[in-house]
Amino acid sequence: METKKLIFSLLVVAAVGATAVSATRALLSDAATLGESTFSTGTVDLQISNGGPYGDGPVTGFSDSLRPGENKNYSVWLKNNTSDVVFKLDGKALTPVLSAGIDKGDVKIRFTEVNADGSDLIGGATIQKTLTTWEGGDPFGAGFNLPANGEQRYKMNVELDDSAPAGTFSFSFEFTGTQVIVTPTPTPSIAL
Amino acid sequence: MKNFFKTLAVIVVLLFGFFLFITSNDISGIRSFIVKSGSMEPIIPTGALVVTQYTHPVHLKKDDVITFIRPTEERDFITHRILDINTRNDYTSIQTKGDNNKTPDNWKVGGGNVVGKVNFMIPYLGYILTFVQSKVGILLFILIPAIYILVEEISNIIKLFRKNEHYVAEPVETSILLLALLFGFGSVHTGQTQALLSDSVVLKDNQFVVTLHPTITPAITPKPSSAACGGITTININGNGAGSNNSVSVQNNCPLQTVTQTNQSNVTNTVTSTTTTGGNKTEFNTVSTVLEENRSTITTGEVSSDISVSVTGESNVLIKD
Protein backbone atom coordinates (compact mmCIF):
# COMPACT_ATOMS: atom_id res chain seq x y z
CA MET A 1 0.00 0.00 0.00
CA GLU A 2 2.68 2.47 0.90
CA THR A 3 4.76 1.49 -2.14
CA LYS A 4 1.89 2.43 -4.41
CA LYS A 5 1.55 5.77 -2.71
CA LEU A 6 5.28 6.31 -2.95
CA ILE A 7 5.28 5.58 -6.67
CA PHE A 8 2.30 7.88 -7.15
CA SER A 9 3.99 10.71 -5.26
CA LEU A 10 7.22 10.26 -7.21
CA LEU A 11 5.35 10.35 -10.50
CA VAL A 12 3.54 13.50 -9.47
CA VAL A 13 6.80 15.14 -8.44
CA ALA A 14 8.40 14.24 -11.79
CA ALA A 15 5.50 15.46 -13.93
CA VAL A 16 4.75 18.57 -11.95
CA GLY A 17 8.41 19.35 -11.55
CA ALA A 18 8.95 19.25 -15.31
CA THR A 19 5.95 21.51 -15.81
CA ALA A 20 7.23 23.94 -13.20
CA VAL A 21 10.61 24.10 -14.89
CA SER A 22 9.16 24.81 -18.32
CA ALA A 23 6.78 27.37 -16.86
CA THR A 24 9.65 29.13 -15.14
CA ARG A 25 11.58 29.24 -18.39
CA ALA A 26 8.55 30.65 -20.15
CA LEU A 27 8.16 33.30 -17.49
CA LEU A 28 11.77 34.38 -17.63
CA SER A 29 11.90 34.61 -21.41
CA ASP A 30 9.95 37.43 -22.99
CA ALA A 31 8.39 35.01 -25.38
CA ALA A 32 5.85 34.27 -22.67
CA THR A 33 3.16 35.59 -24.97
CA LEU A 34 4.12 32.65 -27.18
CA GLY A 35 4.38 34.77 -30.31
CA GLU A 36 0.72 35.63 -30.30
CA SER A 37 -0.96 38.54 -31.99
CA THR A 38 -3.40 40.90 -30.32
CA PHE A 39 -7.17 40.69 -30.58
CA SER A 40 -8.73 42.88 -33.26
CA THR A 41 -12.28 43.71 -32.43
CA GLY A 42 -14.47 45.75 -34.73
CA THR A 43 -14.50 46.16 -38.46
CA VAL A 44 -12.02 47.61 -40.90
CA ASP A 45 -12.59 50.38 -43.43
CA LEU A 46 -10.65 51.23 -46.58
CA GLN A 47 -11.57 54.45 -48.34
CA ILE A 48 -10.80 55.89 -51.76
CA SER A 49 -10.67 59.28 -53.41
CA ASN A 50 -10.07 60.32 -57.02
CA GLY A 51 -9.29 63.84 -55.85
CA GLY A 52 -12.45 64.59 -53.94
CA PRO A 53 -13.45 63.64 -50.40
CA TYR A 54 -12.73 60.09 -49.18
CA GLY A 55 -15.50 57.55 -49.25
CA ASP A 56 -16.23 53.85 -49.44
CA GLY A 57 -16.64 54.16 -53.19
CA PRO A 58 -17.06 53.22 -55.89
CA VAL A 59 -15.59 56.45 -57.24
CA THR A 60 -15.68 57.37 -60.89
CA GLY A 61 -12.53 56.54 -62.78
CA PHE A 62 -10.75 58.53 -65.49
CA SER A 63 -11.65 59.09 -69.13
CA ASP A 64 -8.94 60.03 -71.56
CA SER A 65 -7.40 59.42 -74.93
CA LEU A 66 -4.13 57.63 -75.42
CA ARG A 67 -1.83 57.14 -78.39
CA PRO A 68 -0.03 53.84 -78.87
CA GLY A 69 3.26 54.08 -76.97
CA GLU A 70 1.95 56.87 -74.79
CA ASN A 71 1.40 56.82 -71.02
CA LYS A 72 -0.53 59.17 -68.76
CA ASN A 73 -0.83 59.71 -64.99
CA TYR A 74 -3.88 59.89 -62.78
CA SER A 75 -4.29 60.54 -59.08
CA VAL A 76 -5.74 57.95 -56.69
CA TRP A 77 -5.76 58.26 -52.91
CA LEU A 78 -6.38 55.50 -50.40
CA LYS A 79 -7.05 55.77 -46.70
CA ASN A 80 -6.98 53.11 -44.00
CA ASN A 81 -9.81 54.36 -41.84
CA THR A 82 -9.22 51.79 -39.07
CA SER A 83 -7.49 52.58 -35.84
CA ASP A 84 -5.82 49.29 -34.95
CA VAL A 85 -5.16 47.37 -38.15
CA VAL A 86 -2.39 47.68 -40.74
CA PHE A 87 -3.47 46.92 -44.31
CA LYS A 88 -1.58 45.15 -46.99
CA LEU A 89 -2.90 46.03 -50.42
CA ASP A 90 -4.03 43.86 -53.31
CA GLY A 91 -5.15 45.14 -56.68
CA LYS A 92 -7.52 43.66 -59.20
CA ALA A 93 -8.71 44.94 -62.57
CA LEU A 94 -12.44 44.32 -63.02
CA THR A 95 -14.51 43.93 -66.17
CA PRO A 96 -11.82 44.87 -68.69
CA VAL A 97 -13.39 45.61 -72.08
CA LEU A 98 -11.16 46.12 -75.09
CA SER A 99 -12.03 46.68 -78.73
CA ALA A 100 -10.75 44.32 -81.38
CA GLY A 101 -7.00 44.23 -81.80
CA ILE A 102 -6.13 45.74 -78.43
CA ASP A 103 -4.81 43.04 -76.07
CA LYS A 104 -4.84 43.11 -72.29
CA GLY A 105 -1.10 42.65 -72.52
CA ASP A 106 -0.87 45.96 -74.40
CA VAL A 107 -2.10 47.89 -71.40
CA LYS A 108 0.22 48.37 -68.43
CA ILE A 109 -0.86 49.96 -65.19
CA ARG A 110 1.67 51.24 -62.69
CA PHE A 111 1.07 52.50 -59.18
CA THR A 112 3.63 54.73 -57.49
CA GLU A 113 3.46 56.26 -54.03
CA VAL A 114 3.52 60.06 -54.24
CA ASN A 115 3.57 62.99 -51.86
CA ALA A 116 0.56 65.16 -51.21
CA ASP A 117 1.63 67.51 -53.98
CA GLY A 118 1.88 64.69 -56.48
CA SER A 119 5.66 64.52 -56.64
CA ASP A 120 7.24 61.08 -56.39
CA LEU A 121 7.89 59.93 -52.84
CA ILE A 122 11.61 59.33 -52.37
CA GLY A 123 12.03 55.65 -51.68
CA GLY A 124 8.34 55.16 -52.33
CA ALA A 125 7.09 51.87 -53.66
CA THR A 126 6.13 51.32 -57.27
CA ILE A 127 4.66 48.38 -59.14
CA GLN A 128 3.71 47.85 -62.76
CA LYS A 129 1.73 44.98 -64.23
CA THR A 130 -0.18 44.34 -67.41
CA LEU A 131 -3.95 44.42 -67.41
CA THR A 132 -3.78 40.65 -67.83
CA THR A 133 -1.96 40.20 -64.53
CA TRP A 134 -4.08 42.74 -62.70
CA GLU A 135 -7.22 40.97 -63.89
CA GLY A 136 -6.14 37.87 -62.00
CA GLY A 137 -5.54 39.93 -58.89
CA ASP A 138 -2.05 40.69 -57.63
CA PRO A 139 -0.57 41.94 -54.38
CA PHE A 140 1.06 45.38 -54.36
CA GLY A 141 3.84 44.23 -52.04
CA ALA A 142 4.89 45.04 -48.50
CA GLY A 143 6.27 48.44 -49.49
CA PHE A 144 2.69 49.59 -50.07
CA ASN A 145 1.30 48.63 -46.63
CA LEU A 146 -1.09 51.23 -45.22
CA PRO A 147 -0.66 51.90 -41.51
CA ALA A 148 -3.64 52.34 -39.19
CA ASN A 149 -5.29 55.73 -39.80
CA GLY A 150 -2.88 56.10 -42.68
CA GLU A 151 -3.46 57.86 -45.96
CA GLN A 152 -1.39 57.44 -49.09
CA ARG A 153 -1.59 59.06 -52.50
CA TYR A 154 -0.69 57.20 -55.66
CA LYS A 155 0.09 58.04 -59.24
CA MET A 156 -1.73 55.56 -61.47
CA ASN A 157 0.11 55.43 -64.76
CA VAL A 158 -1.65 53.87 -67.74
CA GLU A 159 0.60 52.94 -70.65
CA LEU A 160 -0.42 51.64 -74.04
CA ASP A 161 1.85 49.51 -76.17
CA ASP A 162 3.14 50.88 -79.47
CA SER A 163 1.48 48.13 -81.41
CA ALA A 164 -2.10 48.86 -80.33
CA PRO A 165 -4.53 49.84 -83.08
CA ALA A 166 -7.18 52.50 -82.81
CA GLY A 167 -10.10 51.62 -80.59
CA THR A 168 -11.22 51.83 -77.01
CA PHE A 169 -10.56 50.05 -73.73
CA SER A 170 -11.98 50.35 -70.25
CA PHE A 171 -11.58 48.73 -66.84
CA SER A 172 -12.52 49.22 -63.23
CA PHE A 173 -9.92 48.74 -60.52
CA GLU A 174 -10.54 47.24 -57.11
CA PHE A 175 -8.19 47.91 -54.18
CA THR A 176 -8.41 45.47 -51.25
CA GLY A 177 -6.90 46.10 -47.85
CA THR A 178 -6.28 42.92 -45.83
CA GLN A 179 -5.39 42.90 -42.15
CA VAL A 180 -1.70 42.39 -41.48
CA ILE A 181 -1.13 40.16 -38.46
CA VAL A 182 1.49 41.74 -36.25
CA THR A 183 3.33 39.34 -33.98
CA PRO A 184 5.27 41.04 -31.20
CA THR A 185 8.96 40.14 -31.41
CA PRO A 186 10.37 38.85 -28.14
CA THR A 187 13.01 41.06 -26.57
CA PRO A 188 16.33 39.40 -25.75
CA SER A 189 16.47 37.81 -22.27
CA ILE A 190 18.80 35.72 -20.13
CA ALA A 191 18.82 32.15 -21.37
CA LEU A 192 17.98 29.69 -18.61
CA MET B 1 -24.66 17.67 -0.69
CA LYS B 2 -21.71 20.00 -0.41
CA ASN B 3 -19.44 17.11 -1.24
CA PHE B 4 -21.50 16.26 -4.31
CA PHE B 5 -21.08 19.72 -5.81
CA LYS B 6 -17.42 19.75 -4.90
CA THR B 7 -16.94 16.44 -6.64
CA LEU B 8 -18.96 17.63 -9.63
CA ALA B 9 -16.87 20.79 -9.85
CA VAL B 10 -13.69 18.77 -9.70
CA ILE B 11 -14.92 16.42 -12.44
CA VAL B 12 -15.94 19.34 -14.67
CA VAL B 13 -12.58 21.05 -14.32
CA LEU B 14 -10.80 17.76 -14.83
CA LEU B 15 -12.71 16.97 -18.01
CA PHE B 16 -12.31 20.50 -19.30
CA GLY B 17 -8.59 20.61 -18.68
CA PHE B 18 -8.22 17.26 -20.30
CA PHE B 19 -10.29 18.40 -23.28
CA LEU B 20 -8.10 21.45 -23.71
CA PHE B 21 -4.98 19.37 -23.52
CA ILE B 22 -6.25 16.94 -26.14
CA THR B 23 -7.46 19.61 -28.54
CA SER B 24 -4.45 21.81 -28.30
CA ASN B 25 -2.17 18.97 -29.18
CA ASP B 26 -4.02 17.81 -32.27
CA ILE B 27 -4.89 14.36 -31.05
CA SER B 28 -7.73 12.56 -32.86
CA GLY B 29 -8.21 15.32 -35.42
CA ILE B 30 -10.01 17.63 -33.02
CA ARG B 31 -8.34 20.95 -32.60
CA SER B 32 -9.32 24.14 -30.83
CA PHE B 33 -8.26 27.68 -31.61
CA ILE B 34 -8.57 31.10 -30.04
CA VAL B 35 -10.25 33.49 -32.48
CA LYS B 36 -8.29 36.75 -32.69
CA SER B 37 -10.32 38.92 -35.04
CA GLY B 38 -13.88 39.53 -36.10
CA SER B 39 -14.54 38.85 -39.77
CA MET B 40 -16.85 35.97 -38.84
CA GLU B 41 -19.01 37.86 -36.35
CA PRO B 42 -21.67 37.41 -35.10
CA ILE B 43 -21.61 33.63 -35.43
CA ILE B 44 -18.00 33.52 -34.23
CA PRO B 45 -17.22 36.55 -32.05
CA THR B 46 -13.69 37.77 -31.46
CA GLY B 47 -12.28 36.06 -28.37
CA ALA B 48 -14.25 32.87 -28.80
CA LEU B 49 -12.76 29.39 -28.83
CA VAL B 50 -13.59 27.38 -31.91
CA VAL B 51 -13.46 23.61 -31.91
CA THR B 52 -12.66 22.11 -35.27
CA GLN B 53 -12.70 18.56 -36.47
CA TYR B 54 -10.61 17.34 -39.33
CA THR B 55 -12.84 16.71 -42.35
CA HIS B 56 -11.66 15.33 -45.64
CA PRO B 57 -12.25 17.92 -48.38
CA VAL B 58 -14.56 15.47 -50.10
CA HIS B 59 -17.05 15.98 -47.27
CA LEU B 60 -16.82 19.76 -47.24
CA LYS B 61 -19.47 21.87 -48.92
CA LYS B 62 -20.41 25.48 -49.62
CA ASP B 63 -21.22 27.52 -46.49
CA ASP B 64 -19.20 25.29 -44.14
CA VAL B 65 -16.94 27.26 -41.85
CA ILE B 66 -13.40 25.92 -41.88
CA THR B 67 -10.03 26.61 -40.29
CA PHE B 68 -7.19 26.35 -42.76
CA ILE B 69 -3.55 27.27 -43.22
CA ARG B 70 -3.33 30.46 -45.25
CA PRO B 71 -1.73 29.59 -48.63
CA THR B 72 0.44 32.70 -48.71
CA GLU B 73 3.76 33.48 -47.06
CA GLU B 74 2.19 34.03 -43.61
CA ARG B 75 1.13 30.37 -43.24
CA ASP B 76 -1.05 31.14 -40.23
CA PHE B 77 -4.48 29.73 -39.36
CA ILE B 78 -7.50 31.46 -40.83
CA THR B 79 -11.15 30.67 -40.11
CA HIS B 80 -13.58 31.69 -42.86
CA ARG B 81 -16.63 30.36 -44.69
CA ILE B 82 -16.53 28.34 -47.88
CA LEU B 83 -17.92 30.41 -50.75
CA ASP B 84 -17.17 27.88 -53.43
CA ILE B 85 -15.58 24.45 -53.53
CA ASN B 86 -14.36 22.60 -56.58
CA THR B 87 -12.77 19.18 -56.87
CA ARG B 88 -11.07 18.11 -60.05
CA ASN B 89 -8.69 15.18 -60.50
CA ASP B 90 -8.44 14.64 -56.73
CA TYR B 91 -7.39 18.24 -56.21
CA THR B 92 -9.78 20.42 -54.26
CA SER B 93 -9.76 24.18 -54.57
CA ILE B 94 -11.75 26.25 -52.09
CA GLN B 95 -12.71 29.91 -52.32
CA THR B 96 -13.20 31.37 -48.84
CA LYS B 97 -14.65 34.60 -47.51
CA GLY B 98 -15.16 36.21 -44.12
CA ASP B 99 -18.85 36.87 -43.45
CA ASN B 100 -18.11 40.51 -42.69
CA ASN B 101 -15.66 41.12 -45.50
CA LYS B 102 -16.79 42.84 -48.67
CA THR B 103 -14.93 40.60 -51.05
CA PRO B 104 -13.77 36.98 -51.13
CA ASP B 105 -10.27 36.17 -49.94
CA ASN B 106 -7.35 36.76 -52.31
CA TRP B 107 -6.33 33.14 -52.43
CA LYS B 108 -7.54 29.66 -53.16
CA VAL B 109 -7.25 27.07 -50.39
CA GLY B 110 -6.08 23.63 -51.43
CA GLY B 111 -7.64 20.58 -49.83
CA GLY B 112 -4.36 19.81 -48.09
CA ASN B 113 -4.40 23.14 -46.23
CA VAL B 114 -7.64 22.43 -44.40
CA VAL B 115 -7.22 21.86 -40.66
CA GLY B 116 -10.86 21.16 -39.93
CA LYS B 117 -14.46 22.16 -40.07
CA VAL B 118 -15.71 24.31 -37.20
CA ASN B 119 -18.22 22.31 -35.18
CA PHE B 120 -18.97 24.74 -32.41
CA MET B 121 -17.63 27.77 -30.64
CA ILE B 122 -17.56 28.93 -27.03
CA PRO B 123 -17.64 32.73 -26.67
CA TYR B 124 -15.15 34.54 -24.41
CA LEU B 125 -13.14 31.40 -23.72
CA GLY B 126 -10.43 32.62 -26.07
CA TYR B 127 -9.93 35.71 -23.92
CA ILE B 128 -9.59 33.53 -20.80
CA LEU B 129 -7.09 31.20 -22.43
CA THR B 130 -5.06 34.13 -23.70
CA PHE B 131 -4.87 35.36 -20.12
CA VAL B 132 -3.71 31.93 -18.98
CA GLN B 133 -1.03 32.07 -21.67
CA SER B 134 0.21 35.40 -20.37
CA LYS B 135 2.94 35.72 -17.76
CA VAL B 136 0.47 36.41 -14.98
CA GLY B 137 -1.64 33.50 -16.13
CA ILE B 138 1.30 31.13 -16.20
CA LEU B 139 2.14 32.19 -12.67
CA LEU B 140 -1.39 31.72 -11.35
CA PHE B 141 -2.43 28.63 -13.24
CA ILE B 142 0.80 26.72 -13.51
CA LEU B 143 3.67 27.86 -11.39
CA ILE B 144 1.91 28.46 -8.09
CA PRO B 145 -0.19 25.30 -8.22
CA ALA B 146 2.88 23.36 -9.34
CA ILE B 147 5.05 24.59 -6.47
CA TYR B 148 2.29 23.91 -3.94
CA ILE B 149 1.81 20.38 -5.22
CA LEU B 150 5.55 19.72 -5.32
CA VAL B 151 5.97 20.82 -1.73
CA GLU B 152 3.01 18.67 -0.66
CA GLU B 153 4.24 15.58 -2.50
CA ILE B 154 7.85 15.92 -1.44
CA SER B 155 6.79 16.27 2.20
CA ASN B 156 4.56 13.18 1.75
CA ILE B 157 7.52 11.21 0.41
CA ILE B 158 9.66 12.32 3.33
CA LYS B 159 6.94 11.26 5.76
CA LEU B 160 6.68 7.89 4.05
CA PHE B 161 10.38 7.27 4.45
CA ARG B 162 10.46 8.45 8.05
CA LYS B 163 7.51 6.25 8.82
CA ASN B 164 6.92 8.23 11.98
CA GLU B 165 3.56 9.41 10.74
CA HIS B 166 0.69 7.80 8.97
CA TYR B 167 0.52 8.71 5.31
CA VAL B 168 -1.93 11.54 5.21
CA ALA B 169 -4.50 11.45 2.45
CA GLU B 170 -4.25 14.12 -0.25
CA PRO B 171 -6.05 17.26 0.82
CA VAL B 172 -8.77 18.44 -1.56
CA GLU B 173 -6.89 21.65 -2.21
CA THR B 174 -4.08 19.71 -3.81
CA SER B 175 -6.46 17.99 -6.16
CA ILE B 176 -7.98 21.25 -7.22
CA LEU B 177 -4.57 22.72 -7.82
CA LEU B 178 -3.65 19.69 -9.85
CA LEU B 179 -6.67 20.29 -12.00
CA ALA B 180 -5.88 23.97 -12.35
CA LEU B 181 -2.47 22.85 -13.47
CA LEU B 182 -3.94 20.57 -16.05
CA PHE B 183 -6.16 23.37 -17.25
CA GLY B 184 -3.21 25.70 -17.48
CA PHE B 185 -1.10 23.14 -19.20
CA GLY B 186 -3.76 22.51 -21.77
CA SER B 187 -4.39 26.19 -22.29
CA VAL B 188 -0.90 27.33 -22.96
CA HIS B 189 -0.70 25.22 -26.04
CA THR B 190 -3.97 26.32 -27.58
CA GLY B 191 -3.24 27.92 -30.89
CA GLN B 192 -4.78 30.95 -32.49
CA THR B 193 -6.74 31.57 -35.64
CA GLN B 194 -7.54 34.79 -37.42
CA ALA B 195 -10.96 35.62 -38.79
CA LEU B 196 -9.03 37.83 -41.13
CA LEU B 197 -10.49 41.25 -41.82
CA SER B 198 -10.47 42.97 -45.20
CA ASP B 199 -12.24 45.76 -47.09
CA SER B 200 -12.32 46.84 -50.72
CA VAL B 201 -12.92 49.99 -52.75
CA VAL B 202 -13.38 50.41 -56.48
CA LEU B 203 -12.18 52.98 -59.00
CA LYS B 204 -14.97 52.48 -61.50
CA ASP B 205 -15.06 52.73 -65.28
CA ASN B 206 -11.74 54.08 -66.45
CA GLN B 207 -12.31 54.65 -70.17
CA PHE B 208 -9.73 55.27 -72.84
CA VAL B 209 -9.97 56.08 -76.51
CA VAL B 210 -7.00 55.04 -78.56
CA THR B 211 -6.09 57.61 -81.18
CA LEU B 212 -3.45 56.83 -83.68
CA HIS B 213 -0.34 58.71 -84.61
CA PRO B 214 -0.76 61.37 -87.31
CA THR B 215 -1.55 59.71 -90.59
CA ILE B 216 0.79 60.14 -93.46
CA THR B 217 -0.60 59.59 -96.93
CA PRO B 218 0.29 58.06 -99.17
CA ALA B 219 1.46 55.39 -96.74
CA ILE B 220 3.93 54.06 -99.17
CA THR B 221 6.14 56.34 -101.09
CA PRO B 222 5.00 55.89 -104.66
CA LYS B 223 7.64 54.47 -106.90
CA PRO B 224 8.57 56.86 -109.60
CA SER B 225 8.48 55.73 -113.17
CA SER B 226 9.81 57.74 -116.00
CA ALA B 227 6.32 58.83 -116.73
CA ALA B 228 5.99 60.08 -113.19
CA CYS B 229 8.60 62.72 -113.64
CA GLY B 230 6.82 65.93 -114.07
CA GLY B 231 3.84 64.63 -112.13
CA ILE B 232 2.89 65.79 -108.72
CA THR B 233 3.64 63.76 -105.62
CA THR B 234 1.40 64.90 -102.81
CA ILE B 235 2.11 63.90 -99.28
CA ASN B 236 -0.31 64.90 -96.56
CA ILE B 237 0.31 64.88 -92.84
CA ASN B 238 -2.91 65.25 -90.86
CA GLY B 239 -3.91 65.23 -87.24
CA ASN B 240 -0.58 66.15 -85.79
CA GLY B 241 -1.05 68.26 -82.73
CA ALA B 242 0.81 71.27 -81.45
CA GLY B 243 4.47 70.70 -80.82
CA SER B 244 4.78 67.65 -83.02
CA ASN B 245 7.76 67.05 -85.25
CA ASN B 246 7.03 65.14 -88.38
CA SER B 247 9.38 64.07 -91.09
CA VAL B 248 8.77 62.69 -94.52
CA SER B 249 11.31 61.24 -96.84
CA VAL B 250 10.77 61.34 -100.57
CA GLN B 251 13.01 59.63 -103.01
CA ASN B 252 12.78 59.97 -106.74
CA ASN B 253 15.08 60.01 -109.70
CA CYS B 254 13.54 62.98 -111.36
CA PRO B 255 15.39 66.20 -111.65
CA LEU B 256 14.33 68.51 -108.89
CA GLN B 257 12.01 71.12 -110.19
CA THR B 258 9.57 72.80 -107.92
CA VAL B 259 8.79 71.85 -104.40
CA THR B 260 5.76 73.41 -102.81
CA GLN B 261 5.24 73.11 -99.11
CA THR B 262 2.05 74.28 -97.53
CA ASN B 263 1.14 74.48 -93.92
CA GLN B 264 -2.30 74.90 -92.63
CA SER B 265 -2.68 75.57 -89.01
CA ASN B 266 -5.50 76.85 -86.87
CA VAL B 267 -4.49 79.16 -84.10
CA THR B 268 -6.83 80.98 -81.80
CA ASN B 269 -5.46 84.04 -80.06
CA THR B 270 -7.27 85.63 -77.21
CA VAL B 271 -6.10 89.11 -76.38
CA THR B 272 -7.30 91.09 -73.42
CA SER B 273 -6.27 94.70 -73.32
CA THR B 274 -6.85 96.96 -70.42
CA THR B 275 -5.95 100.63 -70.60
CA THR B 276 -6.54 103.29 -68.10
CA THR B 277 -6.63 107.00 -68.42
CA GLY B 278 -4.82 108.41 -65.56
CA GLY B 279 -4.56 111.55 -63.60
CA ASN B 280 -7.82 113.28 -64.49
CA LYS B 281 -8.90 115.81 -61.97
CA THR B 282 -11.39 118.59 -61.61
CA GLU B 283 -11.60 121.04 -58.77
CA PHE B 284 -13.89 123.66 -57.37
CA ASN B 285 -16.85 122.66 -59.27
CA THR B 286 -20.24 123.79 -58.47
CA VAL B 287 -22.50 121.10 -59.49
CA SER B 288 -25.93 122.00 -60.55
CA THR B 289 -28.45 119.36 -60.68
CA VAL B 290 -31.01 121.52 -62.43
CA LEU B 291 -29.42 123.59 -65.19
CA GLU B 292 -27.72 121.22 -67.55
CA GLU B 293 -25.34 123.81 -69.03
CA ASN B 294 -23.79 124.34 -65.61
CA ARG B 295 -22.88 120.79 -65.06
CA SER B 296 -19.19 120.13 -65.25
CA THR B 297 -17.84 117.34 -67.33
CA ILE B 298 -14.51 115.71 -67.67
CA THR B 299 -13.10 114.97 -71.05
CA THR B 300 -10.24 112.57 -70.98
CA GLY B 301 -7.48 112.49 -73.48
CA GLU B 302 -7.14 109.77 -76.06
CA VAL B 303 -5.97 106.42 -74.99
CA SER B 304 -4.38 103.97 -77.33
CA SER B 305 -2.56 100.76 -76.92
CA ASP B 306 -0.54 98.90 -79.48
CA ILE B 307 -1.05 95.24 -79.54
CA SER B 308 0.69 92.95 -81.85
CA VAL B 309 0.27 89.24 -81.98
CA SER B 310 2.62 87.03 -83.87
CA VAL B 311 2.11 83.39 -84.56
CA THR B 312 5.20 81.40 -85.16
CA GLY B 313 6.08 77.81 -85.13
CA GLU B 314 5.41 76.41 -88.52
CA SER B 315 8.42 75.78 -90.56
CA ASN B 316 9.30 73.39 -93.30
CA VAL B 317 12.81 72.42 -94.18
CA LEU B 318 13.70 70.93 -97.49
CA ILE B 319 16.83 68.88 -97.50
CA LYS B 320 18.22 67.91 -100.81
CA ASP B 321 20.67 65.03 -100.89
Side-chain angles (χ1 to χ4, degrees):
Chain A
M1 197 59 174
E2 281 173 352
T3 324
K4 271 192 193 164
K5 285 176 184 169
L6 179 65
I7 291 169
F8 175 77
S9 292
L10 285 170
L11 283 173
V12 170
V13 166
V16 173
T19 309
V21 165
S22 81
T24 311
R25 295 178 78 167
L27 268 185
L28 288 178
S29 98
D30 276 304
T33 51
L34 300 171
E36 68 172 45
S37 56
T38 51
F39 288 99
S40 305
T41 52
T43 52
V44 291
D45 188 20
L46 178 65
Q47 295 187 332
I48 186 172
S49 155
N50 59 1
Y54 280 106
D56 289 327
V59 291
T60 315
F62 304 95
S63 293
D64 211 335
S65 68
L66 263 186
R67 290 212 171 106
E70 195 181 11
N71 68 86
K72 286 189 180 172
N73 292 319
Y74 307 94
S75 204
V76 179
W77 309 349
L78 291 180
K79 184 175 175 187
N80 177 356
N81 202 33
T82 315
S83 58
D84 60 352
V85 169
V86 174
F87 275 151
K88 67 172 194 171
L89 289 178
D90 283 273
K92 195 170 184 179
L94 307 175
T95 56
V97 176
L98 301 92
S99 59
I102 306 179
D103 295 323
K104 288 171 198 171
D106 291 336
V107 178
K108 290 201 188 116
I109 308 170
R110 178 191 283 279
F111 291 93
T112 307
E113 289 182 321
V114 294
N115 293 311
D117 64 1
S119 59
D120 281 8
L121 188 65
I122 297 170
T126 184
I127 188 166
Q128 182 187 58
K129 311 259 178 183
T130 61
L131 193 53
T132 320
T133 310
W134 284 124
E135 194 187 10
D138 224 43
F140 276 66
F144 281 89
N145 283 3
L146 264 181
N149 290 321
E151 178 196 330
Q152 181 61 55
R153 301 190 180 185
Y154 308 89
K155 183 170 68 178
M156 176 173 85
N157 177 280
V158 180
E159 184 183 319
L160 185 62
D161 193 79
D162 241 317
S163 63
T168 57
F169 66 93
S170 68
F171 59 91
S172 295
F173 205 90
E174 178 184 77
F175 303 89
T176 302
T178 303
Q179 178 186 10
V180 170
I181 307 305
V182 178
T183 308
T185 38
T187 53
S189 60
I190 306 162
L192 195 65
Chain B
M1 206 51 186
K2 200 175 143 191
N3 259 335
F4 170 74
F5 281 114
K6 219 186 227 176
T7 317
L8 191 64
V10 163
I11 290 170
V12 165
V13 175
L14 173 68
L15 284 176
F16 194 64
F18 190 65
F19 160 78
L20 281 176
F21 178 75
I22 295 289
T23 60
S24 60
N25 288 289
D26 197 14
I27 302 163
S28 78
I30 298 177
R31 208 159 162 185
S32 57
F33 295 92
I34 299 165
V35 179
K36 307 293 295 202
S37 40
S39 71
M40 290 301 295
E41 299 206 359
I43 66 147
I44 302 175
T46 309
L49 184 85
V50 286
V51 179
T52 65
Q53 178 161 25
Y54 175 71
T55 314
H56 193 280
V58 127
H59 300 298
L60 291 173
K61 57 190 189 308
K62 183 176 186 291
D63 289 339
D64 283 345
V65 178
I66 54 169
T67 301
F68 53 91
I69 297 172
R70 181 166 22 170
T72 56
E73 60 189 0
E74 292 89 348
R75 317 286 307 165
D76 49 3
F77 296 107
I78 309 287
T79 301
H80 273 171
R81 193 183 294 275
I82 295 179
L83 194 63
D84 199 35
I85 178 166
N86 232 305
T87 306
R88 191 184 297 173
N89 296 334
D90 287 334
Y91 181 74
T92 305
S93 174
I94 304 169
Q95 177 66 66
T96 53
K97 180 180 174 292
D99 286 353
N100 281 332
N101 291 339
K102 223 190 246 182
T103 51
D105 296 325
N106 283 320
W107 55 66
K108 292 280 197 303
V109 181
N113 280 348
V114 175
V115 170
K117 179 177 156 184
V118 174
N119 279 339
F120 63 93
M121 70 95 189
I122 305 166
Y124 305 113
L125 190 54
Y127 288 127
I128 296 168
L129 294 185
T130 298
F131 171 70
V132 175
Q133 291 177 358
S134 70
K135 283 193 179 178
V136 175
I138 288 176
L139 196 69
L140 283 178
F141 281 90
I142 299 180
L143 209 55
I144 292 173
I147 291 168
Y148 188 93
I149 290 165
L150 277 174
V151 166
E152 278 285 324
E153 287 308 314
I154 289 168
S155 79
N156 277 335
I157 290 168
I158 293 168
K159 284 171 194 169
L160 265 172
F161 276 112
R162 282 192 187 152
K163 294 180 185 178
N164 14 348
E165 291 169 38
H166 290 293
Y167 182 90
V168 179
E170 308 268 301
V172 172
E173 289 80 15
T174 312
S175 307
I176 290 172
L177 287 169
L178 195 63
L179 297 168
L181 187 63
L182 192 62
F183 178 78
F185 190 69
S187 306
V188 292
H189 289 104
T190 307
Q192 327 158 39
T193 180
Q194 297 289 337
L196 202 66
L197 298 159
S198 71
D199 190 24
S200 300
V201 288
V202 173
L203 183 69
K204 200 170 151 150
D205 293 336
N206 299 282
Q207 300 179 335
F208 295 87
V209 173
V210 180
T211 55
L212 292 189
H213 293 294
T215 55
I216 297 176
T217 56
I220 303 165
T221 311
K223 279 198 175 138
S225 65
S226 54
C229 281
I232 298 174
T233 301
T234 307
I235 296 166
N236 294 314
I237 300 175
N238 290 311
N240 43 326
S244 65
N245 286 313
N246 307 287
S247 73
V248 171
S249 164
V250 177
Q251 204 175 16
N252 63 38
N253 296 322
C254 305
L256 186 64
Q257 294 179 346
T258 312
V259 175
T260 308
Q261 299 177 65
T262 321
N263 288 312
Q264 183 189 346
S265 63
N266 297 316
V267 175
T268 305
N269 294 303
T270 305
V271 176
T272 306
S273 168
T274 308
T275 57
T276 54
T277 69
N280 301 300
K281 187 162 93 170
T282 71
E283 289 182 327
F284 306 117
N285 294 299
T286 305
V287 178
S288 164
T289 57
V290 179
L291 291 168
E292 217 175 281
E293 56 268 26
N294 287 339
R295 287 200 191 145
S296 46
T297 57
I298 301 171
T299 309
T300 69
E302 279 186 10
V303 176
S304 69
S305 61
D306 289 314
I307 300 163
S308 66
V309 175
S310 71
V311 176
T312 57
E314 296 167 316
S315 65
N316 295 317
V317 176
L318 175 68
I319 299 168
K320 184 181 165 217
D321 285 327

